[in-house]
Amino acid sequence: MQMNVVLNGDVVPEEAVGLPLNDRAFQYGDGLFETLRYQHHEVRFWADHYDRLTRGMEALSIRLPPQFTSDRLQSQVIELLKANHLLDQTSRIKLQVWRQTGGLYTPTSFQPHYLITARTGSAFALSEKTIVGFFDAVRLSPSTVSAYKTLNALPYVLAGIAKQQQQADDLILLDTHGHLAECIASNLFWLVGDVLFTPSPTSGCIEGILRRQLIRRAPHHGLSVQEGLFLPEVLTRADAVFCTNISGIQWIRRIGETVFDETLMNRIRPVFADL
């Protein structure tokens, strides 16, 4: 079946999209993206995605065109889902924004191109990661752009390769001082009693959309939230460890020699019951 995309506001066939060799996304990774979930006939957490996207564009000095409003952009997502016959299915949407062509490291344009793609996706789910380790070859550092999903993803690519080599289900990345940061494609959380811990954005981790939801919701379920910089050994004292992304919650069974009791995840389940 022919799939369509939205390119700069227009729905066009996927095969009609071509990028020149001097495109800045290809040459410099000069852009960012959002991955969204469409489920139960709505784009989940759209306001948070749009907020992160536009703040990321500001951080990259990519101008927000007048037509790039939340309502108009969301209507283009819905139009694309309709064109791809996905309105009644759970779908995975990717929204990419990058700077228009011109210049070398120093750009000559601050205007964006943008592309929206949509595919059939999986519903939000609770799953398990049996074996998780650490990735220490490349460390993360905080910056004005580290909270956003930029097109410069080499630390995560290399961590993904290391995960394959270690035959692990995921790896935890560290910051430049050895503090916990995040997993390869998800934010990291752990529970100790009634306190939910997660690395601060000052670790260089991405400020995930599901991360936002848990931080907002946890106090309403009797849990306090503590963000900060933590060394890996704190996980050995955790009741439960899990990670979060657009696909759902991934409970971690074992990190190194430390094994976690799945039943202790029950304390956190009400927080993400309707995500």
Side-chain angles (χ1 to χ4, degrees), residues 166-226:
Q166 295 182 30
Q167 296 183 325
D169 295 305
D170 207 337
L171 295 181
I172 298 171
L173 286 78
L174 308 175
D175 74 2
T176 51
H177 299 289
H179 300 112
L180 299 167
E182 59 189 334
C183 294
I184 295 174
S186 53
N187 286 117
L188 179 67
F189 287 86
W190 61 99
L191 187 66
V192 180
D194 291 332
V195 182
L196 187 61
F197 293 87
T198 191
S200 163
T202 56
S203 68
C205 73
I206 291 171
E207 291 190 48
I209 300 303
L210 262 293
R211 179 182 184 277
R212 288 191 189 187
Q213 311 313 313
L214 290 188
I215 289 173
R216 289 173 184 163
R217 293 167 178 236
H220 300 290
H221 295 271
L223 298 173
S224 61
V225 179
Q226 185 171 333

Side-chain angles (χ1 to χ4, degrees), residues 107-151:
T108 58
S109 174
F110 297 92
Q111 300 300 321
H113 288 304
Y114 70 96
L115 177 71
I116 309 172
T117 57
R119 297 283 187 276
T120 300
S122 301
F124 187 88
L126 174 63
S127 58
E128 177 185 316
K129 292 182 183 293
T130 304
I131 301 174
V132 173
F134 293 95
F135 178 67
D136 200 24
V138 178
R139 293 189 174 187
L140 304 181
S141 58
S143 71
T144 57
V145 299
S146 59
Y148 311 110
K149 291 188 171 183
T150 71
L151 300 184

Side-chain angles (χ1 to χ4, degrees), residues 37-44 74 78 81 86-91:
R37 173 169 46 95
Y38 174 81
Q39 190 173 352
H40 305 313
H41 296 94
E42 69 170 318
V43 180
R44 299 292 289 161
Q74 186 178 24
I78 300 302
L81 290 167
L86 295 172
L87 281 178
D88 296 320
Q89 301 181 47
T90 298
S91 303

Side-chain angles (χ1 to χ4, degrees), residues 45-99:
F45 315 119
W46 169 255
D48 285 317
H49 280 289
Y50 182 77
D51 172 69
R52 186 174 66 176
L53 176 68
T54 52
R55 287 193 296 112
M57 291 172 65
E58 181 180 3
L60 269 63
S61 295
I62 297 178
R63 289 179 185 151
L64 201 68
Q67 69 273 21
F68 206 80
T69 65
S70 175
D71 288 345
R72 185 164 182 177
L73 200 57
Q74 186 178 24
S75 70
Q76 290 173 8
V77 171
I78 300 302
E79 183 181 4
L80 176 61
L81 290 167
K82 182 178 180 180
N84 286 345
H85 307 287
L86 295 172
L87 281 178
D88 296 320
Q89 301 181 47
T90 298
S91 303
R92 185 181 180 91
I93 301 153
K94 190 168 186 179
L95 171 53
Q96 296 164 270
V97 177
W98 67 101
R99 197 185 314 274

